[in-house]
Amino acid sequence: MASNGSSAGMSSRLAVTAINGLLAVKPLAAVAKRQARQKIVKRAEANGIPWRENVRQLQQQNLQADYDAIANPNLEYPEYYCRPFHAYAEGNLNWQAAWEAESAAMAVHAILCEETGDRGDFKLRRGYTKAFRDRVEIAPQRIVDLGCSVGLSTFELEEIYPEAEITGVDLSPYFLSVAHRRGQERRSSIQWRHSAAETTGLPAGKWDLVSICLVFHELPQQAALAVLKEARRLLKPGGYLTFMDMNPQSEAYKTMPPYVLTLLKSTEPYLDEYFSLDLEGAIASAGFTPPTVRFNSPRHRTLIARAL
Ligand SMILES: C[S@@+](CC[C@H](N)C(=O)[O-])C[C@H]1O[C@@H](n2cnc3c(N)ncnc32)[C@H](O)[C@@H]1O
């Protein structure tokens, strides 16, 4: 007779097979994704995140002028970046993803605490900056936020280092347009730069702190290593690399039912590469001190290292 464990294992494998089969059939995958999406929006709104209202407001603002001010028309996108992400067929290169990015971050991070609305996202970001702030022995004057998206991580850096000159770098001109508009609303002096995090074109050896927040789970390993190399190039000797992303060793991921992980991977094409990257070794090999690791949420880790 099969034990409970093996029958559970069997039904879990069946669920993974069924989900992989479903996702392989394009029209079915589209229906599944649409339904999953509707659920996410509904749950977000029930949790106090006004998803559709946020989108409507950004849509009405017409961000074309922000786009024109930011976009680098000569930029060539790496092939890996042009794949579907987060159930958007055009990945991060479209307006819908940009309008929804803030609400999506709030919704995903809401599960990290028992409070509702944007508290989960706020706590996650504050947990990150708190995790490195007391270890950073200087007042950073120049900061780069690699993979800044719509600016949530960049504005958090500005909150804790209001005197610093801060540059946010991202490959999506749509996300940067939202960041640019939000920056104007906040009277922020953050500079937004449309370039790849691995080839920013920013001057070498001039920066005190480089932050990489929630980016590496979206990168193939080769790109992640190139971004670390670029971070080292940008920093002054003794400058700080701070990093935050999912913690593959956390119980939440270790005990996640395989079919849930399969669904997650269907929207995050490089998750396996991120989970199998020896991040601490990669940071040290890129010319940094061995990083200090802290756990800033039940699912996230913060790493801090200094440029040698
Ligand atoms: C999950 S978002 C999070 C970003 C943001 N730092 C935050 O904390 O909310 C990841 C971002 O990384 C950007 N990204 C991915 N690969 C990149 C690359 N090679 N160069 C620059 N940005 C990249 C994406 O466009 C996206 O905006």
Side-chain angles (χ1 to χ4, degrees):
M1 200 171 93
S3 72
N4 280 345
S6 64
S7 70
M10 170 81 87
S11 59
S12 176
R13 277 195 298 281
L14 281 175
V16 170
T17 310
I19 285 172
N20 276 330
L22 179 76
L23 294 173
V25 183
K26 279 207 168 137
L28 288 181
V31 171
K33 280 180 185 168
R34 203 166 43 245
Q35 283 184 349
R37 213 190 114 71
Q38 282 165 356
K39 261 196 185 153
I40 290 168
V41 173
K42 233 174 149 179
R43 189 153 14 105
E45 291 183 346
N47 274 330
I49 299 153
W51 185 302
R52 282 173 295 184
E53 178 55 20
N54 288 346
V55 169
R56 194 187 59 76
Q57 282 181 13
L58 279 169
Q59 214 166 354
Q60 279 185 349
Q61 283 185 20
N62 185 4
L63 303 173
Q64 192 57 45
D66 304 78
Y67 182 101
D68 294 340
I70 294 281
N72 171 4
N74 301 318
L75 190 125
E76 284 185 21
Y77 294 98
E79 191 272 327
Y80 71 79
Y81 189 75
C82 302
R83 286 183 59 172
F85 272 99
H86 308 146
Y88 300 104
E90 296 159 311
N92 295 324
L93 293 170
N94 65 92
W95 282 119
Q96 191 69 30
W99 295 330
E100 295 188 327
E102 292 167 331
S103 301
M106 304 297 161
V108 170
H109 300 147
I111 55 165
L112 295 172
C113 71
E114 282 160 11
E115 294 161 72
T116 55
D118 59 7
R119 290 299 298 171
D121 187 75
F122 172 78
K123 278 192 168 177
L124 178 68
R125 295 178 190 286
R126 196 45 58 91
Y128 167 48
T129 50
K130 209 164 159 239
F132 70 71
R133 203 177 174 183
D134 56 344
R135 299 206 154 239
V136 172
E137 292 166 6
I138 52 169
Q141 286 171 14
R142 301 186 80 194
I143 299 176
V144 184
D145 185 21
L146 295 177
C148 64
S149 181
V150 292
L152 295 172
S153 49
T154 335
F155 295 129
E156 170 63 12
L157 290 167
E158 191 178 47
E159 284 277 322
I160 64 155
Y161 295 122
E163 306 298 328
E165 183 191 312
I166 303 179
T167 299
V169 172
D170 205 279
L171 266 175
S172 171
Y174 302 92
F175 289 3
L176 287 171
S177 299
V178 174
H180 183 256
R181 180 61 63 98
R182 293 292 189 228
Q184 285 181 334
E185 290 165 1
R186 301 164 67 108
R187 300 184 183 282
S188 158
S189 56
I190 294 171
Q191 300 290 309
W192 307 104
R193 186 173 181 88
H194 182 209
S195 67
E198 48 272 62
T199 48
T200 61
L202 292 169
K206 290 254 160 40
W207 307 83
D208 302 303
L209 190 146
V210 171
S211 172
I212 306 174
C213 180
L214 301 172
V215 179
F216 268 30
H217 69 274
E218 289 194 6
L219 296 181
Q221 284 192 4
Q222 281 312 314
L225 299 180
V227 172
L228 290 176
K229 199 169 160 203
E230 176 69 352
R232 177 61 195 87
R233 187 188 72 81
L234 293 171
L235 284 166
K236 297 173 182 166
Y240 287 85
L241 171 70
T242 61
F243 174 101
M244 192 262 280
D245 213 319
M246 298 149 93
N247 173 18
Q249 304 307 326
S250 72
E251 281 305 303
Y253 295 116
K254 279 197 199 158
T255 57
M256 190 171 268
Y259 66 92
V260 177
L261 206 53
T262 303
L263 274 175
L264 186 60
K265 286 176 186 172
S266 76
T267 69
E268 298 282 5
Y270 304 114
L271 205 56
D272 275 335
E273 293 203 41
Y274 170 65
F275 275 18
S276 61
L277 175 68
D278 168 14
L279 183 60
E280 291 169 57
I283 289 176
S285 300
F288 293 92
T289 57
T292 306
V293 185
R294 288 183 163 189
F295 302 103
N296 60 292
S297 97
R299 290 169 188 241
H300 295 85
R301 59 181 171 177
T302 293
L303 282 80
I304 308 137
R306 293 190 88 165
L308 293 169

